[in-house]
């Protein structure tokens, strides 16, 4: 690092008088001997001064002073009831309670169409093909790891959907941990996808593709302060209908469990539930 | 003397007069930050109300590991950001809100005008340019810059409020200053320009 670069590193602290005496001596000596740094620093300093001098506190209206509490108090006492909220502002409510909405909508949708879709949409996915008898050991292993993968992703995504960046603390989402899990899952995705090479597993592969996009976004979030990023992820999960697809996938799995042609291992799993 | 945490605990149990003390102590801090972030008096007043409603409903989440005001700053910043998103703020910033800024500045400068009439228009012009330059900053740069330089919050408090790393907060602020310097470089050249006329 040359002396100008070192001096530049002190600019930020110098602007707020935070240099210790050694740093300050170095800084001033350098500015006295280097016109380039001196000019650059002075420009930054005078910009800051210009802005500060022209910044004014704008007084709130009189009502703010006199009636702030009176306006606020009724809003504190009245907690929005379920019916109220739906009637008054469904959109607001949807944004704030997306995951709950999702579960309600998803649940209803599943009851009405789930079984039908489950049979048609995923009918061949990872199910025992009666003509081939039981799944091979290898296929069972792939199935198990795909299921684990989807379950872990679902837990992660639910956490993201439940996070309210407006009031929630970062501890409640633990973004760093979520990002580690996302990266871990992303690392597994390509191997898993190449294992899912049968025509019957293409639907599952697409689900893992969808998940991959969202996991990538989570992994790339800079901080939980990145509200736009979190919003993008939350609406992406919504838009892609990820939870519905996961639920359908799970149902088709359940269907295959009660399928008489299923292998013994699957039956055992069902008995143990 | 009640500490913030004591007042919060009482408020949590439903004691509204304790919460009222917290509101009265902090409403101006919230308003000032909200105004600097939204540049609109009306929005700042709405945000202030929203912030205290949210704070009241989330009192369980306040654990006292920061000052109550620091916690409110976080809610304020996030409320302003989501308000902006909802209103697609950036597109309307130029007209409606700029007019409000100008109106506010004009009102404030009436007194000043009587003392120093020729400088008023110049000062308005500078303020407008500063507002324009501020719009060139990213959301995060502007937020950190406003908190540090307008609300004069120490870096550590911004770190706590925004839950960012200390290095990130400092570099966001410094990046903001550098961008603003570029946008406003006109003002740094003013003395030379005057000299050149001679
Ligand atoms: Zn130098």
């Amino acid at each position: 690092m040359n002396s100008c670069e070192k001096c530049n590193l002190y600019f930020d602290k110098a602007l707020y008088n935070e240099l210790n005496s050694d740093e300050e001596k170095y800084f001033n000596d350098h500015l006295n001997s280097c016109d380039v740094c001196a000019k650059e620093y002075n420009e930054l300093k005078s910009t800051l001064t210009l802005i500060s001098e022209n910044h004014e506190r704008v007084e709130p209206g009189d009502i703010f002073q006199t009636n702030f509490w009176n306006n606020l108090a009724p809003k504190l006492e009245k907690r929005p009831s379920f019916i109220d909220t739906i009637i008054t502002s469904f959109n607001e409510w949807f944004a704030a309670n997306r995951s709950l909405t999702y579960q309600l909508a998803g649940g209803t949708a599943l009851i009405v169409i789930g079984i039908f879709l489950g049979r048609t949409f995923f009918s061949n996915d990872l199910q025992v093909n009666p003509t081939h008898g039981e799944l091979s050991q290898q296929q069972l292993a792939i199935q198990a790891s795909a299921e684990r993968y989807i379950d872990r992703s679902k837990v992660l995504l639910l956490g993201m959907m439940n996070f309210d960046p407006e009031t929630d603390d970062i501890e409640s989402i633990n973004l760093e941990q979520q990002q580690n899990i996302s990266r871990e899952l992303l690392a597994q995705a390509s191997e898993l996808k190449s294992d899912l090479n049968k025509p019957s597993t293409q639907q599952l592969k697409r689900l893992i593709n969808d998940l991959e996009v969202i996991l990538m976004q989570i992994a790339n979030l800079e901080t939980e302060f990145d509200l736009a990023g979190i919003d993008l992820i939350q609406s992406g999960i919504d838009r892609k209908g990820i939870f519905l697809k996961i639920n359908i996938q799970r149902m088709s799995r359940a269907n295959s469990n009660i399928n008489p042609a299923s292998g013994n291992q699957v039956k055992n799993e069902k008995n143990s539930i | 003397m009640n500490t913030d945490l004591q007042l919060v605990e009482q408020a949590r149990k439903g004691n509204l007069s304790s919460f009222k003390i917290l509101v009265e102590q902090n409403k101006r801090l919230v308003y000032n930050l909200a105004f600097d972030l939204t540049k609109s008096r009306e929005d700042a007043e709405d945000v202030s109300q929203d912030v205290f409603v949210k704070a009241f409903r989330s009192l369980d989440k306040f654990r006292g590991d920061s000052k109550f005001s620091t916690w409110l700053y976080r809610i304020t910043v996030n409320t302003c950001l989501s308000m902006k998103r909802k209103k697609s703020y950036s597109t309307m910033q130029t007209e409606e809100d700029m007019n409000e800024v100008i109106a506010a500045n004009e009102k404030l400068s009436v007194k000043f005008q009587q003392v120093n009439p020729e400088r008023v228009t110049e000062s308005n012009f500078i303020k407008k340019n500063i507002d324009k330059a501020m719009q060139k900053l990213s959301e995060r740069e502007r937020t950190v810059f406003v908190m540090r330089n307008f609300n004069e919050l120490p870096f550590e408090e911004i770190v706590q409020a925004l839950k960012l790393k200390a290095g990130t907060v400092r570099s966001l602020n410094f990046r903001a200053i550098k961008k603003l310097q570029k946008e406003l470089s006109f003002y740094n050249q003013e003395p030379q320009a005057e000299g050149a006329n001679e």
Side-chain angles (χ1 to χ4, degrees), chain A residues 3-5 7-8 30-31 33-38:
Chain A
S3 54
C4 287
E5 285 168 342
C7 173
N8 271 245
H30 183 82
L31 287 200
S33 66
C34 174
D35 289 347
V36 178
C37 288

Side-chain angles (χ1 to χ4, degrees), chain A residues 100-113:
Chain A
L100 179 61
T101 319
Y102 218 94
Q103 281 158 12
L104 287 173
T108 315
L110 278 179
I111 290 163
V112 180
I113 58 167

Side-chain angles (χ1 to χ4, degrees), chain B residues 8 34 53 69 76 104 109 130 159 185:
Chain B
V8 168
V53 173
S69 56
T76 308
S109 57
I130 291 174
V159 166
S185 57

Side-chain angles (χ1 to χ4, degrees), chain B residues 6 9 19 22 37 49 55 57 82-83 95 100 116 124 130 136 149-150 152-153 155 174 179 191:
Chain B
Q6 283 170 325
E9 262 156 26
F19 192 64
L22 289 166
L37 291 174
Q49 288 271 322
R57 292 192 180 147
S82 51
M83 176 188 255
E95 292 173 58
E100 195 181 339
N116 202 346
N124 267 348
I130 291 174
K136 296 270 167 81
N149 301 284
F150 292 168
E152 289 167 4
L153 298 174
F155 281 117
F174 189 60
K179 278 193 191 174

Side-chain angles (χ1 to χ4, degrees), chain A residues 16 18 165-166 168 222, chain B residues 54 61 78 82 140 149 170:
Chain A
Y16 297 97
E18 292 175 356
E166 290 197 4
D168 281 351
E222 226 178 300
Chain B
K54 278 180 197 162
K61 291 179 187 166
N78 289 337
S82 51
R140 299 195 322 154
N149 301 284
R170 291 203 79 114

